[in-house]
């Protein structure tokens, strides 16, 4: 397999050098450009042949997040490398591979590179849609297609994943999360529940079944849910 060609974007020389050292330790990865700002990065991208971009967020003139929003489906994958964890939620909107919070270890770096390599092998560089949430001091990436149910608990939500059968609990309102999820894939059925429509195993009288759990469809959300069913049933 051809090496993973990457560029590094960071306005701190020490941070650039650290990433260069990590890449030197990593087989199958090579640096084609080291850039101190978004302008240099855009010039490097115009030359083409870039698979992956390690991108800082807090930079002068144009932030890394602004640069990432300008990318197209044909642009390289992005791994954010930043000291600011509060932007992690924004990462899913630009379909970043990962979000590494400085200082990060080589093991964390290598795991992110492996995720990028898997995407490239699948021919899906922009990857699966995902959200980033805080959980027990960590920023976690949760692939949307892996979510089954989201439960609201006052100021928190629990996000259940098919792959683990467990929930990630994060400080967030159900309403704010609902506003970020794609409406064609997720639906609010109750003041306390959002479901992944692809995860629904059965539908009963004012309820849906996901796995072994039955969830109520409340009156407030029943009309929209019935419209969805009409579209499915023709």
């Amino acid at each position: 397999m051809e090496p993973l060609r990457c560029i590094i974007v960071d306005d701190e020389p020490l941070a650039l050098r650290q990433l260069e050292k990590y890449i030197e330790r990593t087989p199958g990865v090579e640096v084609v450009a080291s850039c101190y700002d978004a302008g240099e990065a855009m010039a490097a991208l115009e030359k083409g042949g870039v698979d992956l971009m390690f991108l800082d967020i807090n930079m002068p003139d144009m932030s890394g997040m602004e640069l990432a929003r300008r990318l197209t489906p044909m642009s390289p994958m992005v791994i954010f490398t930043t000291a600011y964890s509060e932007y992690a939620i924004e990462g899913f909107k630009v379909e970043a591979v990962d979000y590494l919070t400085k200082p990060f270890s080589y093991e964390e770096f290598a795991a992110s590179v492996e995720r990028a390599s898997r995407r490239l092998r699948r021919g899906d560089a922009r990857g699966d849609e995902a959200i980033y949430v805080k959980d027990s001091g960590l920023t976690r990436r949760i692939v949307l297609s892996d979510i089954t149910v989201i439960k609201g608990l006052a100021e928190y939500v629990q996000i259940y994943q098919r792959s683990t059968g467990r929930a990630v609990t994060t400080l967030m309102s159900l309403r704010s999360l609902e506003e970020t999820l794609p409406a064609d894939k997720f639906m609010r059925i109750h003041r306390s529940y959002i479901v992944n429509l692809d995860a629904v195993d059965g539908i009963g009288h004012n309820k849906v079944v996901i796995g072994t759990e039955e969830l109520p469809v409340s009156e407030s959300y029943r009309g929209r849910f019935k419209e969805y069913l009409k579209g499915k049933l023709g």
Side-chain angles (χ1 to χ4, degrees):
M1 183 176 176
E2 292 293 321
L4 199 64
R5 294 165 54 84
C6 65
I7 65 173
I8 307 168
V9 190
D10 201 305
D11 62 335
E12 298 179 6
L14 289 178
L16 278 178
R17 184 57 189 143
Q18 181 67 70
L19 280 168
E20 288 170 349
K21 288 181 178 178
Y22 279 175
I23 291 169
E24 288 170 3
R25 292 177 58 183
T26 309
V29 186
E30 66 178 35
V31 178
V32 297
S34 293
C35 310
Y36 286 100
D37 56 39
E40 290 185 9
M42 292 172 70
L45 290 173
E46 287 176 0
K47 296 178 181 178
V50 179
D51 301 308
L52 177 63
M53 178 163 53
F54 294 95
L55 183 58
D56 188 23
I57 289 181
N58 189 22
M59 297 187 296
D61 299 325
M62 182 190 298
S63 73
M65 192 63 72
E66 289 176 288
L67 174 58
R69 291 192 186 106
R70 296 189 180 195
L71 299 179
T72 70
M74 299 304 294
S75 297
M77 298 172 285
V78 172
I79 294 175
F80 285 112
T81 58
T82 177
Y84 298 90
S85 61
E86 61 265 30
Y87 296 105
I89 299 299
E90 296 295 316
F92 93 95
K93 295 181 180 178
V94 294
E95 300 179 24
V97 173
D98 215 339
Y99 192 102
L100 295 173
T101 305
K102 299 173 183 176
F104 48 86
S105 67
Y106 174 73
E107 288 70 26
E108 292 173 298
F109 169 86
S112 292
V113 170
E114 177 56 29
R115 292 188 192 100
S117 296
R118 287 199 299 268
R119 283 194 186 182
L120 197 62
R121 289 195 294 269
R122 291 199 309 261
D124 182 20
R126 300 298 284 165
D128 298 318
E129 290 184 276
I131 56 174
Y132 293 82
V133 299
K134 294 180 181 179
D135 172 40
S136 303
L138 299 174
T139 299
R140 297 190 182 275
R141 180 179 184 269
I142 301 177
V143 175
L144 297 189
S145 61
D146 194 37
I147 297 172
T148 56
V149 183
I150 304 170
K151 296 183 179 181
L153 301 170
E155 296 178 345
Y156 292 82
V157 296
Q158 289 182 321
I159 304 172
Y160 286 83
Q161 300 171 88
R162 183 183 288 105
S163 60
T164 65
R166 298 191 299 272
V168 170
T169 302
T170 187
L171 181 62
M172 180 185 297
S173 73
L174 200 63
R175 178 178 293 277
S176 65
L177 185 54
E178 179 186 13
E179 291 173 351
T180 66
L181 294 169
D184 62 328
K185 298 178 182 177
F186 291 84
M187 183 173 292
R188 183 88 169 260
I189 62 168
H190 188 276
R191 68 178 183 179
S192 300
Y193 299 108
I194 295 173
V195 298
N196 181 344
L197 295 168
D198 288 336
V200 174
D201 297 309
I203 300 167
H205 181 63
N206 298 330
K207 66 182 179 182
V208 299
V209 178
I210 296 180
T212 59
E213 191 165 7
E214 294 185 355
L215 305 173
V217 180
S218 68
E219 185 175 355
S220 301
Y221 300 94
R222 201 167 297 156
R224 184 182 172 209
F225 189 66
K226 286 183 177 179
E227 286 299 315
Y228 164 74
L229 290 179
K230 285 181 183 178
K232 285 293 183 182
L233 299 174

